[in-house]
Amino acid sequence: MRPGFGPTTPAGPPGKGVKPVAPQFFVDPKKGEVNELKILLKNCLSEKDEKKRRDVVKKVIAFMTLGIDVSRLFTEMCMASATSDMIQKKMIYLYLANYAESNASLAIMAINTYLKDCKAADGKTRGLALRSLCSLRFSGAYEYLQPAILEGMRDLDSYVRKTAIMGCVKVYHMNPSLIRNSNIIDTLYGLIKDPDNQVATNAIIALDEILESEGGIAISQKMIVYLLNKIREFNEWGQTLILELVAKYKPKSENELFDILNLLEDRLKHATSCIVLGTIKIFLGYTVDNPVILKHVYERITSPLLTLMSSGEVTGSFEIAYIVVSHIHFIVARGGAEHFEREYKQFYCKTDEPTYLKYLKVDVLSLIATENNLGDILNELQEYVSDIDSELARRSIRAIGAIGLRVSSVIGAIIKQLASFLSISFDYITNETIIAFMNILRKYRSEFREIINVVPNCIESVSETEAKVALLWILGEYAQEIEEAPYILEYFIGNLKEGDESQRYKHALLAATVKTFVKKPPETYEALASLLNAILNNENEDIDLKDRAAFYVRVLQTSVDDYKNFATKPAIGIDSFVEDEELIKEKGSWEFNTLSVIYNKPKTKFVKPVEYFINQRNKEMLADMKGDGAEEEQQQQQQGEDVTSPTREAAAPNLLDLGDLTITSPTQPTQPVAAGGSASFTVEELSPFFELDPERFQSAWTDLPECANVTRSLSSAGAANMQSVEQTFAECRFFCIASGEMENQLKFYFYGRLNATNELIFIEVLVDLGARTIHMLFKAEREDLHGLVKFLETVLRTRLII
């Protein structure tokens, strides 16, 4: 008798009890075991002991999991599905779904089994069968899905209705037209008023996903009123969904606006953070254009937010506390600071708090500091500077500097407090303090006396690049007031080693030395000459740095007095920094109660479009279909082929077969594109008329990531020239914004825009007529541009360019 099918108790001495041994399901497969399983399944169909039948089904699933082909048992498993044991049904449905998708001849049996169970007396059985039926991924099942789903949505059991609703979403992603061309969407809208709140919640989720291309579920006043009146009956997840819908709705009148806010007033007292934050999002969104009402809203939401923060700290739910403090930081940065300034002690750091929460609280303290609470906040931040956590100390110094920039009346006291930190023998404190001094002097030009008295004493403690750049800026701007400035620069120039310093530091050192030279020529002459010689005579030096050094040499040789008048012109203090203005402008696009608040960036910078995931899924499915053939083709692509080989030249009038397309990611090694990538791109997907000014192009080119690098061989027909390349890309709806020719090379910059998403795509094209190659660098918000690359490749081939 084979192992796993014998008695469950081993033989032992007569008269003595033996401990039963559980059946072993995952054992080594042996010849004939599938046939024995087939016999066991037939025999157990009339077995009344559910446990024995369950063990046999478990054995079948175990074999299937090990990769053994047990499709011969399909008929017996269908017959075994006639059981009331839900555990058996789940395993049998798993088996049926696994083999039905790969074998069309078996699929009808599985579908019939599911449809039969969809009419069972037990609601759980009907729901499980419907869920399994909606999970089948082949076109032959579509004609059976629509009637089953519609019948399920009319079922008396709420579990079946919930399952049918989620089945709509599954089917939609497999065949959107099946859902859109039926009355399923209208039925889903009707289920929003279902007596079971979970069914209504599922209907809202399904409609929002199915109608995503149209902006989501269509929201009406009648729907909003109905849901708001029933919101207390929903669970927390359902209430959150309703609040998201209300946030998208625009009230028709001011009276309706106030009615909605009054209905949601008690939701601010809820114990769940997502409900409170969702309600606050509605309050802020409805009143953002009315400063008077917005001020009252700030006053109303202060207490709920502080209560949520405190409860998270008391219960040890620091993650919740962090989320709440992040939203407080968001509100404070947008003009609500005055409503939290009286509660500043709530943001003091506690010893048992995690570091990420402490850092955020320090940032909030810097924003809510005013003349009324400034003394206590500065004393608290000063305590953090000596903390064992170096990052907390750094953030505290930054916070003190930021307070000084915001509250001008106390800048003198801020500078004295920062100067006292230089006596602490830690390099990171000195580095951060120097940076804070630079920012203060950028705004308050006249507040330099106290700073220049202490800066020369901490030269050797400045070790980080940012701090060195800040120190050099101070030396260059105030060289006349700092007697030691030329000698400090000599110290830095003498310690300058090739490869040890960043280019930014070298640029700052060169600029500071030139500024000091025009103010103190005798003391700085030798230092400047030494630095210029070191830069200009170094063959490995950065070309931009050498160009700047050569520019300074030409200027000083031409007219030292003119440059001196320009360099020594009194600088004007600034009211705000460009980086801060950009951050404030960016914050305007953030959405309250989303991950944008946590990540401190708009969602477009961390959420990929749905098309990206669709393309990834399509590529995975295509790779599975290609199997071994795709692997062989990929190996051939990796080995590569020489486009100028004699055999290719001999056979060669075919200009469409010229080498491999290579696409690389900027952060990964070069890999050839697998054949069969998404190549369904058409010219209709690009805007036919679109203009872009050079300033916007330059800014976007710097910000967008590199998506692909493409190198191809030029055609022997010699059709590549300025006019043909530009005309070819214009036909593909990519417009040239700049072009040029130099030393047998052509260079172009093209831009285009996708119709569906308004995403920009930039291409840098370099045609090397000497090396007979064309190189294209793609920049875009999306990463998957395989279809576009294949499209451009085809067009370039037809134009005899490649």
Side-chain angles (χ1 to χ4, degrees), residues 34-311:
V34 175
N35 290 330
E36 292 185 10
L37 271 177
K38 190 179 185 73
I39 296 172
L40 278 175
L41 275 172
K42 288 182 178 180
N43 294 337
C44 75
L45 290 177
S46 59
E47 180 67 54
K48 294 183 179 180
D49 189 348
E50 295 290 349
K51 186 177 183 304
K52 290 184 179 180
R53 297 178 62 178
R54 187 186 301 174
D55 290 342
V56 177
V57 176
K58 283 183 180 179
K59 188 75 172 180
V60 176
I61 299 300
F63 274 39
M64 185 181 72
T65 306
L66 291 172
I68 302 173
D69 184 12
V70 287
S71 59
R72 286 180 290 170
L73 309 178
F74 200 89
T75 303
E76 288 74 16
M77 290 292 282
C78 288
M79 296 173 64
S81 64
T83 176
S84 59
D85 184 11
M86 294 302 296
I87 297 177
Q88 288 186 57
K89 278 194 175 292
K90 289 181 179 179
M91 291 190 292
I92 293 171
Y93 287 167
L94 175 64
Y95 171 91
L96 297 179
N98 181 66
Y99 285 104
E101 293 182 12
S102 59
N103 193 332
S105 61
L106 302 177
I108 299 299
M109 293 179 62
I111 292 174
N112 290 333
T113 302
Y114 292 143
L115 292 176
K116 181 187 69 174
D117 285 347
C118 283
K119 299 179 181 179
D122 181 52
K124 299 298 181 185
T125 302
R126 297 198 301 272
L128 181 61
L130 182 58
R131 184 177 67 180
S132 302
L133 179 62
C134 294
S135 299
L136 295 179
R137 294 184 180 180
F138 64 96
S139 57
Y142 295 156
E143 60 181 298
Y144 304 98
L145 291 176
Q146 182 177 343
I149 288 174
L150 288 172
E151 187 174 349
M153 288 194 290
R154 294 191 296 264
D155 198 282
L156 297 178
D157 193 298
S158 61
Y159 172 72
V160 181
R161 297 198 298 274
K162 289 188 293 183
T163 305
I165 292 172
M166 301 316 294
C168 293
V169 180
K170 292 181 181 179
V171 175
Y172 173 77
H173 288 297
M174 292 187 290
N175 188 355
S177 61
L178 184 66
I179 301 297
R180 291 187 176 275
N181 297 335
S182 64
N183 60 343
I184 289 179
I185 294 179
D186 295 334
T187 307
L188 287 173
Y189 274 110
L191 287 175
I192 294 177
K193 294 185 177 182
D194 193 274
D196 188 287
N197 295 326
Q198 188 62 48
V199 174
T201 301
N202 283 16
I204 294 173
I205 296 172
L207 284 168
D208 218 26
E209 189 162 346
I210 292 173
L211 302 174
E212 182 181 9
S213 60
E214 302 175 10
I217 182 174
I219 306 171
S220 63
Q221 183 183 37
K222 186 177 179 180
M223 179 192 299
I224 294 298
V225 172
Y226 172 80
L227 292 175
L228 286 177
N229 288 325
K230 288 193 63 177
I231 190 171
R232 296 167 186 80
E233 302 175 12
F234 286 78
N235 58 18
E236 295 173 351
W237 175 243
Q239 292 187 41
T240 303
L241 289 175
I242 293 173
L243 292 174
E244 285 295 325
L245 288 182
V246 177
K248 297 177 183 178
Y249 175 70
K250 294 183 178 180
K252 302 295 188 299
S253 63
E254 189 173 280
N255 291 334
E256 183 183 0
L257 183 149
F258 288 119
D259 289 340
I260 293 175
L261 297 184
N262 291 332
L263 282 172
L264 295 174
E265 177 78 16
D266 64 328
R267 295 298 89 191
L268 293 173
K269 302 175 183 177
H270 203 279
T272 305
S273 59
C274 62
I275 294 177
V276 176
L277 294 177
T279 305
I280 293 175
K281 179 179 181 179
I282 296 172
F283 275 61
L284 295 177
Y286 282 7
T287 60
V288 66
D289 297 327
N290 192 327
V292 177
I293 302 177
L294 182 61
K295 184 176 180 180
H296 293 291
V297 169
Y298 281 146
E299 295 176 356
R300 181 64 188 87
I301 65 177
T302 300
S303 179
L305 286 173
L306 294 175
T307 302
L308 273 181
M309 182 185 73
S310 302
S311 62

